[in-house]
């Protein structure tokens, strides 16, 4: 699965911890995705995956969600992209 990141951002505050957002596309799929990230310590991440501007196929988002859960390198690459844009 080839991922193309188009936007990435991260903020940090004492109250909320780390809050990030990554917008990306997947080769062979028409819809773009938004990954919202949250962590108190920048190690244990909670996330939410959704379509960006328009909804895509339900099967496609399940494939991407499954891949994020199984592929630590992919998930870490998305987190790293957001962390590179960290703003306090």
């Amino acid at each position: 699965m080839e991922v193309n990141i188009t936007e990435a951002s991260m903020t940090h505050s004492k109250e909320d911890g780390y809050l990030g957002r990554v917008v990306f596309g997947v080769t062979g799929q028409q819809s773009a995705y938004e990954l919202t990230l949250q962590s108190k310590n920048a190690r244990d991440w909670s996330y939410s995956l959704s379509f960006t501007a328009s909804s895509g196929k339900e099967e496609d988002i399940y494939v991407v969600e499954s891949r994020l859960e199984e592929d630590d390198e992919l998930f870490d690459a998305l987190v790293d992209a957001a962390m590179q844009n960290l703003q306090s």
Side-chain angles (χ1 to χ4, degrees):
M1 175 180 294
E2 189 173 324
V3 171
N4 180 32
I5 298 170
T6 56
E7 294 178 45
S9 62
M10 180 75 68
T11 61
H12 178 261
S13 70
K14 287 183 180 181
E15 300 82 31
D16 298 323
Y18 294 87
L19 298 173
R21 176 177 178 266
V22 182
V23 176
F24 63 96
V26 174
T27 302
Q29 295 186 13
Q30 292 183 331
S31 297
Y33 298 93
E34 179 177 347
L35 182 69
T36 305
L37 300 158
Q38 192 281 325
S39 176
K40 288 288 185 183
N41 58 18
R43 289 185 304 272
D44 302 313
W45 293 94
S46 298
Y47 71 91
S48 173
L49 180 67
S50 59
F51 291 111
T52 53
S54 61
S55 293
K57 295 179 187 175
E58 191 173 340
E59 302 85 32
D60 288 347
I61 201 165
Y62 289 142
V63 168
V64 174
E65 178 104 40
S66 177
R67 185 66 182 264
L68 287 174
E69 290 182 18
E70 295 172 5
D71 188 342
D72 290 340
E73 287 183 24
L74 173 59
F75 186 80
D76 290 346
L78 295 172
V79 170
D80 289 347
M83 288 296 280
Q84 288 177 0
N85 295 293
L86 177 62
Q87 297 180 2
S88 298

